[in-house]
Each structure stands twice: as structure tokens, then as C-alpha cells.
Amino acid sequence: MWVRNAWYVAAWSHDVSHAALLPRTIINQPLVLYRKADGSVVALEDRCCHRLAPLSKGRLEQDDLRCMYHGMKFAADGRCIEIPGQDLIPPRAAVKSYPVVERGSWIWVWMGDAGLVDATLIPETIATTDAGWHIKTGYLDYAAHYQLINDNLLDLSHLSFVHEKTLGRNMPQWAGQRPQVTRLDRGVRFQRWFENRPHAHYYGREGETYDLWHSYDFLVPGIFIQRPAWYPPGTAKRMNMQPPTEPPLFVRCDDQAVIAETERTSRYFYATGARSTDATVALADEMFRFTETAFHEDKAIIEAQQKVIDLDPDQPMMSLSSDAGPNLFRGIVKQLVDAEARPPQPARVAEPVALAAAQGN
Amino acid sequence: MWVRNAWYVAAWSHDVSHAALLPRTIINQPLVLYRKADGSVVALEDRCCHRLAPLSKGRLEQDDLRCMYHGMKFAADGRCIEIPGQDLIPPRAAVKSYPVVERGSWIWVWMGDAGLVDATLIPETIATTDAGWHIKTGYLDYAAHYQLINDNLLDLSHLSFVHEKTLGRNMPQWAGQRPQVTRLDRGVRFQRWFENRPHAHYYGREGETYDLWHSYDFLVPGIFIQRPAWYPPGTAKRMNMQPPTEPPLFVRCDDQAVIAETERTSRYFYATGARSTDATVALADEMFRFTETAFHEDKAIIEAQQKVIDLDPDQPMMSLSSDAGPNLFRGIVKQLVDAEARPPQPARVAEPVALAAAQGN
Amino acid sequence: MWVRNAWYVAAWSHDVSHAALLPRTIINQPLVLYRKADGSVVALEDRCCHRLAPLSKGRLEQDDLRCMYHGMKFAADGRCIEIPGQDLIPPRAAVKSYPVVERGSWIWVWMGDAGLVDATLIPETIATTDAGWHIKTGYLDYAAHYQLINDNLLDLSHLSFVHEKTLGRNMPQWAGQRPQVTRLDRGVRFQRWFENRPHAHYYGREGETYDLWHSYDFLVPGIFIQRPAWYPPGTAKRMNMQPPTEPPLFVRCDDQAVIAETERTSRYFYATGARSTDATVALADEMFRFTETAFHEDKAIIEAQQKVIDLDPDQPMMSLSSDAGPNLFRGIVKQLVDAEARPPQPARVAEPVALAAAQGN
């Protein structure tokens, strides 16, 4: 169960080049990515239409891609432009071409109907090249269904337990308090103030406390965009617990994408950093390493959870009050998936009978 | 196909402690075991009712167990007693608790209906702490259906072939003679005399022979209890081939349990030893090592057998006269499984009509 | 989907002996092979009729095979001739015996109905012991359906791409020209002249060109027999592009067999060499090593192709003009498989009505 009409992160910008072919699997569809000579990114079906061999084992010839099984050559738009030993190229000789947008250091690929492409659905994320930020990037591969990873990011109460020694250190509030949860058009927004929280490994002084405005969006298909902002103590109350209108002391950034590959494999992309006015490159590096350690804690519990589920897939989950986010998001995904499964409706037209009556008058 | 209403061996006593959580899977159900501070053993469902994460990756807090995903805490009886950030604990917030009995160095867990628990079904086995015996223990994990391992133990004719260099050395009688096979209430008993058998590696003198009273029970779900007893030659005849009434020269003990984990994985627990009046600790150790070597011979043939079966699961087996035990036991298991699948019958009551008629007279 | 009534290569002659039991799986059937004392080869079902243990883990006793689980002994024709501890041997106590022919250094096993055995279906291949040839042999195991390997061998246009640095070096003609494809009774024949081809690593002089008569048969279930023959330039034209009638300068030999084991595993046997008048043993060795390197290139692309197919088994293949061979052969296989699935027809008899009429006169 996955949404097709959505932008999926296929890779970090720096992982795609004109010198190599990058194979990726997204929602069970094989893709091959590369850059043309002009730097633009191409995403084609990684499955030759002839004998279904992967084109990612083929050869880039200028901007075209040749299958190195029997030699069919495809243009960057997916059309076959050469069949060795055969003059006629049938029109159906083609592989699927996917719409691609490169933005914010991510390669976004539209996995659904080309007629529904909508670039405004791509959220703003921070590029690694943004001079205003020091950012580091990475990814982890999961042997788990993407929904379990989404659930994890939609309920940060787990920080007090899974990450009690890392991200959630000295912060029982992650589990003890509930954020305000708001439904967005294709996602969920989480907002809350943490008052008087102690310093973190990346900001603050031992013994002092801070108010932390914690806000993030989680968007279809699994994009996590978080900008925690540190304030002097008392700010939360002065703002009446509403979103802050004052400049923060420190802002960190976490951009993440949970990408379903198959029913039991997923890739988790992530970037962590801070404003370049707030942090040195060395500190941003340390923030990243610390965060990545925590992500291995998530992977351990989620892959274990997957195994328990697979032992008896009929066992139901039980919702707690902390599941507002996961439940809301699972509902949004279900709505979108159901809508995609329905046959398209014809555009509404005036009824012939009414028209005839009008003409008759 | 497995019996639920039965005691399964979950672990050796010495493998369960207050310091660690022991995960086990029995008949496809995940369990976590630990000891309370008072030493008593707890067996809970190893699957949090919230998000189905394994509790065995959680944390023991006194006698309670906290899930380290989102922090739900469960008492030793399985009831949830804390949900971080949530005051109300719904009554259905609980994990299954399994009846446990610790006896004879084994942790026995009742996998079926709690209302049918019957501790008298637990057979007598010898504890490693029993001063009358020197015993050593171990286990092996199989990639095979438990029934194939049961079959193996229910037909010891294989000793002459699988174990021709170990347990069955110089003993073609294992395959050449048939034991008396008796159906028990939930198991099968095997009895026979071996007359004039040569000495074994653990008893007897080269060149001399002995009469061996060989007797064992095999009980649901897969418990093997064997007490071979050595006698001077001529004893079997003097006893008219009936069970011996005289004190033996030497008695060994073999307590074993075949435990189904999943459809294709099983754990085989075993203890081997002898009366402390008959054997030194060193000899008991040697008996154990020798026996364990033989168990690897069983594992090799049974896992190979499983692969052949999986290649074509429709191939039928053909019974020989040596299959009286396996067939009887498979029948008992089938009866129990079928009975468990039937809806429970109401207690029989006199029919209202008959009653009325009786009153009318 | 596989043909049963066919000869399958089970092993190289030198891999079967009286000293060891060789297990093989062919079209999902387990086989055990060995030689009798007289050197003749036996192929039995590798699955004891008793408990389905593999006989290949058993023991050869003279020419008989004893199962080393419970000791049943089978004669070389598959009949059980001993059951330990049991006097009566039921007639159905037997394992399947497979017709075997040893020819051309291969052990051929008939996998179908014994009543349809036809040794004339075994093609002529060159024995490693043939004094007229220097031959070397090997095999590779594939994690792929046999049909994908057959397809590969039925369309050598892939040589220009998969093997552009090995077998297809400097030979775009492999893909650029089409051979003449002829349907045989149970196979396909490929024939063509390559005019003015450059020298190969194993024959010819740098800077000179040759005419190459390239001809091979591909026979059910997957037997590849190729005899490329080198001629002076101009020969092809002098022969009017028909099969050559003059003695060649050099002949190489490639005998190969694609053997389906299971739905996703196959074994690929191959021999490569040249006439002993044309090549030294050292050159034949070098030809073999070079060819085997190329076979690893095939394995890489075919196993990758299999993975792409398994990601979405419903994706259709698209035929090119180079697929005449694969399509013809797939059709032949389908016909044979369909015919095997039909119930056998009774012999045609005169119609009852006509008979009655004849009697009425």
C-alpha cells in the first residue's frame, strides 16, 4: 500500500553523475538515474523493454543509455533510438521515463501518472550548498515496511525510550507531553514548546535551561522537515505558548525522507545541521554523528518490530494518545491510495435532458 | 499443526535470570522470560500491545517490564501499569501472560488456554542439582519441523544407521528387534530387553556382555524420558522378559524436549548423565559429549530430510513395522489438535422436555 | 514449466564413481548417481520411500544403496531388498529408477515416462577422451530460471554487448546480422557466414581476415552444440553463402547443457576445445579459460535480469527480430509441455456405427 502520485526522494544530488548509472527501487519499481552532459538528471525504468534486463548494467553513450544485454539504445526520454541489426523501431519500444526535479540537494522523482505531476508538492528543504547552513547527509537501509518508519517519526514520544541516551537524554517530556497535531493537506504538523529544557550536546550551557520551540511537518510519502529553535527561558510563556515571533538563539535542521523500496525494504535519507551563524562545521559534523547513532537505535527496534509482526501479521496494534500523528497520517495515505485505485471520473457536464429542454424553450 | 494445551520447555533453569530478558518463540508465539526478584519465573508475550515491538528489547524495572519503544510498562501478570503521558490505562492494555512451572531444571510454559492448566501433566525429570545424579545439559537448534525430530526419537531403529559409530555402535539390535510399544494417555511407552549386549563406552568391560532394560516414554508435545538400566547377563530371561524388579548395575538418564518454534525451526533440549553412585563427574561429562556428537548426526540427516520434503511436499511417507511409535504419536497429536479446533461443548444437562415429562408423571 | 520426456545432463562422466554418491536435482526431482562395480551408471530417486531422507547420505554396499536413516536397502533398479527387523518387503517399497545413458562424456538421464525412452534423442557431442579433440570441461550454477539461460544461447546477438571484450570482441556482426534460423524436430538450427572477420584470440593472424562458418543447434531441453569453422577469405562467396563443402582451417567445439534444477536454480555444463590437429593442449586450455570468463559475464546479466523479473513478474517481454530463435524454441517447449499435460489418447479404432452398419448388411 503506497501512494503513487507523489514525489519520492531517489538520491542525494551528489550521488548522481554523468559518469555512472545509479540503480534504485522505489515502491517496487526499478529505476536507473544519471545526469546528462548538461547536468540535468534523468530517471528511467531500470528494465529494458526487450528482455527485462536492468539498464543500470548498461552503458551511457552521450546522454543516451544502451542496454548491454542485446544493445537496444534509449534516449533520455525513454524512447528506443537504436536496435542493432533491425531497421524498424516499433513505437512501443520504450522504457518509462519519470519526471525528475532536483531541489534542496535531493533528486525528487514522480512515481505516478505523468499527467498529474505537480512540482508545488515538493517541500522546501535545505541544500547542502546553502551558505546559511552547515549540513551533513547520509542514509540507512531498513529491512522493514516504510510505514513502521513513518510511524516512528510521527510519534516522537519514543525519544524518551529508544533514544534515552542520545536524542532524548534528560528529556522525559518527549513522552510525557503531547504536541499540538494539525492535519495539513498531504501531511501532519507537530508543534509544541518545551519550557525550561536543559542544554543539549549541541547547544546550551550546563546548568542553564532554555525554551525550545519544536516544530516539524511530516508529508506524503514520508518527508520529515524539522526546525527546532532555542529561546531564552520564559519565551514560551511570553508567546502564550503560540509559535514564536522572536529570533531564536539557535536553530537546527533535520530533513529526512522515508522511501519505500519493496514491501520489506526501505531507504531512510537524512540531513542534519545548524545555521552557519550558530554552529561551526565541526559542531555540525558532531551533531550529525550523534544523530546518526540515534538512527541506528531506531533501526534496531523497528527491524525487531517487523520480525514480530511477520511472525503473526494478524495481530492488531493498539492506539495510545501519542498515536494521533501516526493515525492521522495512515488515514491520509489510505485516502490517497484509495483515490488512486478508483477509476478516473469523467469531467462533469450539463445533462443532455436539461440542455434539450433549454433548447426547446 | 501443534498442540496448544500442553507444557512446553522454554529454557533451562540456569538460562533465566533477573538480570536479563530471554526471548523465545514457541509454536509461533513470541515469549519473553525473566525472573522476578523473588526468583520466580515470568513468561510474557514478547510483543507490546501498542506497536508490537518485542518487550525482550525492553527494560526490567523491579519485577515489571517496560517496552523501550514508547515506554509502556507491564506488571509481571501482563497488565499495563503505565503509559507515559497518558493517565487513562484501558483495560485491554495488556500482554498475554503464560503459566509457568519450574521443575526438574526446566522452565515449563503452558501455551494454551489458561483455564485448562494442569500441572500434573508435567513429567518427572531429573534436576541438574539432584545429588543422586551427575547430569549435563545442552540444546541444538534445528532448521526443521518438530514432527521430524519427534519421529526420530519415536523410532530408535535409526541408532544402528545414523549412529552406527556412536550411540548404536555394535548394536544392530536397535534396528533388528522391535520394542513393546504402549499407548499412554498423552504419549507412547517403549520397553524391551537387549540380552547379551556388549559393553558401551560408558559402562561395562570389553569382552563381557550385559542385559540392558531399555525403557522410555515420549510425551506430548515432544518430551523424551529414558532410563536405560544395565543388568548381569541372564537377568532378562529370569524376569521372563518383563520389567526388572532387581536393582540394576548402572542407570543412565536422558531427558530431552523437542520444542516447535515455527513451521521450520525447532529447539532440542537435552540432558544426559548417570547415577552419582555409578559414575564420576568426568564419566558423566564424557557420556554427554559422546551423546551430543550423536545429536549432530541426527541434525544432519533430519535437516537434509526436511529439504527433500520441501522440494515436493506432496510425497507420501511409507510406514514400516518400526513406525508403530511415530504413527501412534502422530495420531495422538492429531486427536489433540482436532479437539482444540472444535468449539467447546456446553456441559451436558438433562433435556427440558424429558424433565417436563418426568414432572408430568 | 519444463519438458519431462527428455534427456537431461546430470553430470560429467568423471564426476560419477563407485566411491561416492552424487546428489543432483533436475526439474525439481532429487536424484542420486553412482557407478556400479562394472562401471555402469545408476540414477535413483534421492528420496527414501520410508521417511523421505536423501539416499545420497546413504551408503553404497556393492551395487546396492542403503539409506542411512533407518537402513532400508535398495537394489540398483530401485527395488527395496532389505528392511532391517522386518521380513516382509511390500512391493511398493521402492524408489524411482531413471534410465541413464553415458555418451560423449555426459551422463544423460531420462526424466519422463520410462515407456517413452528414446536414446536416439541424445545428440552427438565430443567426449573428452576423443583423440581427435582437445577439450576441457566445467560448469556454473545459476540463480535463475533455465529459460533465461536458454534465451541467452538462442540469440547470440548478445555477444556484441555482454561479451564485447571477450567472445564478441571486434565483432559487431553478432548483433548487426541475423543468422538463418531453422526449426528442427525438437530444436532450432542457426547458420551463417561471417565474411572477413578479424582473427580471434585462438585463431588467425593479426591484420588478416577469415570467413567463419558459424553453425549450432539448440535442442530440448537446453543442449547447445556449436562447431565454428574457419576458412580463407572468399570461401563464403565461393559457397554462395551455403554450408561449406571444403575442409576448414580450424574448427572449435562448444558443447553445453542448460539444466533446470528448480524454478530459480539451474546448472550450466560446458566443454570447449578444438581439433587436436588445429590446437595444442595449451591453446585448448586458453580457449576454455577465455570462454569461461565470458560465461561469468552471462551469469551476471542473467541473474540481474531474473531479479528485475521477480520484482514484477507480470511485465511482458518485447520481441525483436533477433528473437526468432528464442521464440521458436519457447514454442517448441510449450508444445511438448502441453502435450505431456494431455491425457494419453486411446489408439484410433473404427467407429461403432460404421461397424454396426457393416454387420447389418
Side-chain angles (χ1 to χ4, degrees):
Chain A
M1 177 163 122
W2 31 54
V3 177
R4 287 175 54 254
N5 291 316
W7 292 100
Y8 282 80
V9 172
W12 288 107
S13 281
H14 52 260
D15 287 332
V16 182
S17 78
H18 188 55
L21 297 165
L22 179 69
R24 296 289 305 130
T25 301
I26 299 180
I27 57 170
N28 232 35
Q29 297 183 44
L31 277 76
V32 53
L33 289 101
Y34 64 92
R35 284 186 195 274
K36 296 204 284 192
D38 68 7
S40 62
V41 176
V42 174
L44 295 178
E45 182 181 0
D46 191 15
R47 178 169 48 205
C48 181
C49 58
H50 174 219
R51 285 280 164 185
L52 314 180
L55 298 181
S56 56
K57 292 199 174 290
R59 178 168 64 199
L60 209 51
E61 299 185 356
Q62 319 294 343
D63 289 349
D64 307 319
L65 181 51
R66 188 185 294 280
C67 178
M68 287 302 281
Y69 196 169
H70 301 92
M72 282 181 91
K73 186 162 147 181
F74 300 89
D77 63 2
R79 279 179 309 110
C80 176
I81 54 176
E82 185 188 326
I83 303 177
Q86 179 172 334
D87 293 332
L88 181 72
I89 300 177
R92 74 178 190 288
V95 295
K96 191 172 173 185
S97 166
Y98 292 81
V100 175
V101 171
E102 182 168 11
R103 191 180 295 170
S105 296
W106 267 334
I107 309 299
W108 300 85
V109 176
W110 181 260
M111 297 301 296
D113 300 334
L116 301 175
V117 170
D118 179 357
T120 65
L121 293 178
I122 299 176
E124 286 306 310
T125 56
I126 297 169
T128 56
T129 51
D130 188 324
W133 295 82
H134 293 324
I135 304 277
K136 276 187 71 87
T137 68
Y139 67 78
L140 261 181
D141 284 328
Y142 269 77
H145 193 279
Y146 80 98
Q147 224 160 10
L148 300 184
I149 314 174
N150 279 2
D151 289 341
N152 172 279
L153 292 166
L154 286 153
D155 173 10
L156 297 192
S157 74
H158 79 271
L159 265 70
S160 300
F161 299 99
V162 175
H163 308 306
E164 63 170 351
K165 288 167 186 158
T166 54
L167 298 179
R169 196 163 55 183
N170 301 323
M171 280 287 288
Q173 299 96 309
W174 284 113
Q177 300 171 6
R178 299 284 175 261
Q180 186 184 333
V181 178
T182 312
R183 181 180 167 141
L184 307 176
D185 189 31
R186 286 164 68 96
V188 181
R189 175 162 294 166
F190 299 81
Q191 293 177 315
R192 61 176 143 176
W193 280 102
F194 288 118
E195 297 183 82
N196 297 308
R197 67 148 292 168
H199 76 292
H201 72 100
Y202 61 90
Y203 183 69
R205 285 204 290 199
E206 183 139 10
E208 299 198 353
T209 65
Y210 304 85
D211 282 3
L212 177 67
W213 171 246
H214 188 262
S215 166
Y216 72 99
D217 289 351
F218 195 82
L219 306 171
V220 169
I223 314 301
F224 173 96
I225 298 174
Q226 176 182 263
R227 301 286 179 271
W230 294 69
Y231 287 88
T235 307
K237 287 223 163 49
R238 197 164 62 248
M239 296 291 146
N240 285 320
M241 309 308 280
Q242 295 302 303
T245 55
E246 298 175 1
L249 300 170
F250 186 102
V251 183
R252 72 175 280 165
C253 121
D254 295 280
D255 290 338
Q256 302 168 17
V258 177
I259 301 300
E261 293 179 357
T262 68
E263 286 289 337
R264 283 294 175 275
T265 59
S266 305
R267 180 162 286 188
Y268 180 40
F269 294 95
Y270 44 81
T272 287
R275 294 188 303 194
S276 45
T277 49
D278 294 343
T280 61
V281 168
L283 177 58
D285 280 8
E286 151 63 10
M287 290 171 70
F288 176 82
R289 277 197 304 276
F290 190 86
T291 306
E292 197 168 50
T293 299
F295 291 163
H296 281 92
E297 294 168 338
D298 289 313
K299 180 174 152 79
I301 191 73
I302 290 170
E303 291 185 345
Q305 177 196 16
Q306 181 71 72
K307 285 182 190 168
V308 171
I309 288 171
D310 287 343
L311 197 62
D312 182 359
D314 294 332
Q315 289 289 327
M317 290 181 175
M318 176 186 155
S319 282
L320 306 182
S321 66
S322 62
D323 287 308
N327 290 346
L328 207 46
F329 194 79
R330 283 191 176 219
I332 291 167
V333 168
K334 186 172 180 342
Q335 271 189 340
L336 291 170
V337 169
D338 288 350
E340 289 181 358
R342 278 196 296 273
Q345 300 297 314
R348 204 167 296 175
V349 296
E351 292 177 33
V353 174
L355 268 175
Q359 281 166 351
N361 278 341
Chain B
M1 177 161 121
W2 32 54
V3 177
R4 287 175 54 255
N5 291 316
W7 292 100
Y8 282 80
V9 172
W12 289 108
S13 282
H14 52 260
D15 287 331
V16 182
S17 78
H18 188 54
L21 297 165
L22 179 69
R24 295 291 304 129
T25 299
I26 299 180
I27 57 171
N28 232 36
Q29 298 181 45
L31 276 76
V32 53
L33 289 101
Y34 64 93
R35 284 186 195 276
K36 296 204 285 192
D38 67 7
S40 61
V41 176
V42 175
L44 295 178
E45 181 181 0
D46 192 16
R47 175 168 51 203
C48 181
C49 56
H50 174 218
R51 285 281 165 185
L52 312 180
L55 297 181
S56 56
K57 291 198 174 291
R59 179 168 64 198
L60 208 52
E61 299 186 356
Q62 317 296 343
D63 288 350
D64 307 320
L65 181 50
R66 188 186 294 279
C67 178
M68 287 303 282
Y69 197 170
H70 301 92
M72 282 181 92
K73 187 162 146 181
F74 299 90
D77 63 1
R79 279 177 309 112
C80 175
I81 54 175
E82 186 189 323
I83 303 177
Q86 179 172 334
D87 291 334
L88 182 71
I89 301 178
R92 75 177 188 287
V95 295
K96 190 173 174 186
S97 166
Y98 291 82
V100 176
V101 170
E102 182 167 10
R103 190 181 294 170
S105 295
W106 267 334
I107 309 298
W108 299 85
V109 177
W110 181 261
M111 297 301 296
D113 301 333
L116 301 175
V117 171
D118 180 357
T120 64
L121 293 177
I122 299 176
E124 287 305 309
T125 56
I126 297 169
T128 56
T129 51
D130 188 324
W133 296 82
H134 293 321
I135 306 278
K136 278 187 69 88
T137 68
Y139 67 78
L140 262 181
D141 284 327
Y142 269 78
H145 193 279
Y146 80 98
Q147 224 159 11
L148 300 184
I149 315 174
N150 280 2
D151 289 342
N152 172 279
L153 292 167
L154 285 154
D155 174 9
L156 297 192
S157 74
H158 78 271
L159 265 69
S160 299
F161 299 99
V162 175
H163 308 305
E164 64 170 350
K165 286 167 188 160
T166 54
L167 298 178
R169 196 163 53 183
N170 301 323
M171 281 286 289
Q173 299 97 309
W174 284 113
Q177 300 172 6
R178 298 285 176 259
Q180 185 185 334
V181 179
T182 313
R183 181 181 166 142
L184 306 177
D185 188 31
R186 287 165 66 97
V188 182
R189 174 163 294 165
F190 300 80
Q191 292 177 316
R192 61 175 142 177
W193 280 102
F194 288 118
E195 295 183 85
N196 298 308
R197 67 149 291 171
H199 76 293
H201 72 101
Y202 61 91
Y203 183 70
R205 285 203 291 199
E206 184 139 8
E208 299 199 353
T209 64
Y210 304 84
D211 282 4
L212 177 68
W213 171 246
H214 187 262
S215 166
Y216 72 101
D217 290 350
F218 196 82
L219 307 171
V220 169
I223 314 300
F224 174 94
I225 299 174
Q226 176 180 262
R227 301 286 178 272
W230 294 69
Y231 287 87
T235 307
K237 287 222 164 52
R238 198 165 61 250
M239 296 290 145
N240 286 319
M241 308 308 279
Q242 295 302 303
T245 55
E246 297 177 1
L249 299 170
F250 186 102
V251 183
R252 71 175 281 165
C253 121
D254 295 280
D255 291 337
Q256 302 168 17
V258 177
I259 301 301
E261 292 179 357
T262 69
E263 286 288 338
R264 282 296 174 274
T265 59
S266 306
R267 179 163 286 186
Y268 179 40
F269 294 95
Y270 44 80
T272 288
R275 293 189 303 195
S276 45
T277 49
D278 294 344
T280 61
V281 168
L283 177 58
D285 281 8
E286 151 64 9
M287 290 172 70
F288 176 82
R289 278 197 304 276
F290 190 87
T291 306
E292 198 168 49
T293 299
F295 291 164
H296 282 93
E297 295 169 337
D298 289 312
K299 180 173 151 79
I301 191 73
I302 290 171
E303 290 185 345
Q305 177 195 16
Q306 180 71 71
K307 285 182 190 167
V308 171
I309 289 172
D310 287 342
L311 197 62
D312 182 356
D314 294 332
Q315 289 289 327
M317 291 181 174
M318 177 187 155
S319 283
L320 305 182
S321 66
S322 63
D323 288 308
N327 290 346
L328 207 46
F329 195 79
R330 284 192 175 217
I332 291 168
V333 167
K334 185 169 182 341
Q335 270 189 339
L336 291 170
V337 169
D338 288 350
E340 289 181 359
R342 279 196 296 274
Q345 299 297 313
R348 203 167 299 175
V349 293
E351 292 177 36
V353 175
L355 266 177
Q359 282 166 349
N361 280 340
Chain C
M1 178 162 122
W2 31 54
V3 177
R4 287 174 55 254
N5 291 317
W7 292 101
Y8 282 79
V9 172
W12 289 107
S13 282
H14 52 260
D15 287 332
V16 182
S17 78
H18 188 54
L21 297 165
L22 180 68
R24 295 288 307 128
T25 300
I26 299 179
I27 57 170
N28 232 36
Q29 297 182 45
L31 276 76
V32 53
L33 290 100
Y34 64 92
R35 285 187 194 275
K36 296 205 282 191
D38 68 7
S40 61
V41 176
V42 176
L44 295 178
E45 181 181 1
D46 191 16
R47 176 169 50 204
C48 181
C49 56
H50 173 220
R51 286 280 164 184
L52 315 180
L55 297 181
S56 57
K57 292 197 174 290
R59 180 169 62 199
L60 209 51
E61 299 185 356
Q62 319 294 344
D63 288 350
D64 307 319
L65 181 50
R66 188 185 295 279
C67 178
M68 286 303 280
Y69 197 169
H70 301 92
M72 283 181 91
K73 188 163 146 181
F74 300 89
D77 63 2
R79 279 178 310 109
C80 176
I81 53 175
E82 184 188 326
I83 303 177
Q86 179 172 335
D87 291 333
L88 182 73
I89 300 178
R92 75 179 189 287
V95 295
K96 190 173 175 185
S97 166
Y98 292 82
V100 176
V101 170
E102 183 168 10
R103 190 181 297 170
S105 295
W106 268 334
I107 309 298
W108 300 84
V109 176
W110 181 260
M111 296 302 296
D113 300 333
L116 302 175
V117 171
D118 180 358
T120 66
L121 294 177
I122 299 175
E124 286 307 309
T125 56
I126 296 170
T128 56
T129 51
D130 188 323
W133 296 83
H134 293 323
I135 306 277
K136 277 186 70 88
T137 68
Y139 66 79
L140 261 182
D141 284 327
Y142 268 77
H145 193 279
Y146 80 98
Q147 223 160 9
L148 300 184
I149 313 173
N150 280 2
D151 289 342
N152 172 280
L153 292 166
L154 285 153
D155 174 9
L156 297 192
S157 74
H158 78 272
L159 265 70
S160 300
F161 299 99
V162 175
H163 307 306
E164 65 170 349
K165 287 167 187 159
T166 53
L167 298 179
R169 198 162 53 183
N170 301 324
M171 280 287 288
Q173 301 96 308
W174 284 112
Q177 300 173 6
R178 298 283 177 261
Q180 184 184 334
V181 178
T182 313
R183 181 181 166 141
L184 307 177
D185 188 31
R186 287 164 67 97
V188 181
R189 174 163 295 167
F190 300 81
Q191 292 177 316
R192 60 176 143 176
W193 279 102
F194 288 118
E195 295 182 84
N196 297 309
R197 67 148 294 170
H199 76 294
H201 72 100
Y202 61 90
Y203 183 71
R205 284 204 290 199
E206 184 139 9
E208 300 201 351
T209 65
Y210 304 85
D211 282 3
L212 177 68
W213 171 246
H214 188 262
S215 167
Y216 71 100
D217 289 351
F218 195 82
L219 307 170
V220 169
I223 313 300
F224 174 96
I225 298 174
Q226 176 181 260
R227 301 285 179 271
W230 295 69
Y231 287 88
T235 307
K237 288 220 164 54
R238 197 165 61 250
M239 297 290 146
N240 287 319
M241 307 309 277
Q242 294 302 303
T245 55
E246 298 176 0
L249 301 169
F250 187 101
V251 183
R252 71 174 281 165
C253 121
D254 295 280
D255 290 337
Q256 303 168 15
V258 177
I259 301 301
E261 293 179 356
T262 68
E263 286 288 337
R264 282 297 173 274
T265 60
S266 305
R267 179 163 287 186
Y268 180 41
F269 295 94
Y270 43 81
T272 287
R275 293 188 303 195
S276 45
T277 49
D278 294 342
T280 62
V281 168
L283 177 58
D285 281 6
E286 151 63 10
M287 290 172 71
F288 177 82
R289 276 197 306 276
F290 190 86
T291 306
E292 197 168 48
T293 299
F295 291 164
H296 282 92
E297 295 169 337
D298 288 313
K299 180 173 152 81
I301 191 71
I302 291 171
E303 290 185 344
Q305 177 195 18
Q306 181 70 73
K307 285 181 190 169
V308 171
I309 289 172
D310 287 342
L311 197 63
D312 182 357
D314 295 332
Q315 289 289 328
M317 291 180 174
M318 177 187 155
S319 282
L320 306 182
S321 66
S322 62
D323 288 307
N327 291 346
L328 208 45
F329 195 78
R330 283 191 175 221
I332 291 168
V333 168
K334 187 172 180 340
Q335 270 189 338
L336 291 171
V337 169
D338 288 350
E340 289 181 0
R342 277 195 297 274
Q345 299 297 312
R348 204 168 298 176
V349 295
E351 292 177 36
V353 174
L355 267 177
Q359 282 167 349
N361 279 339

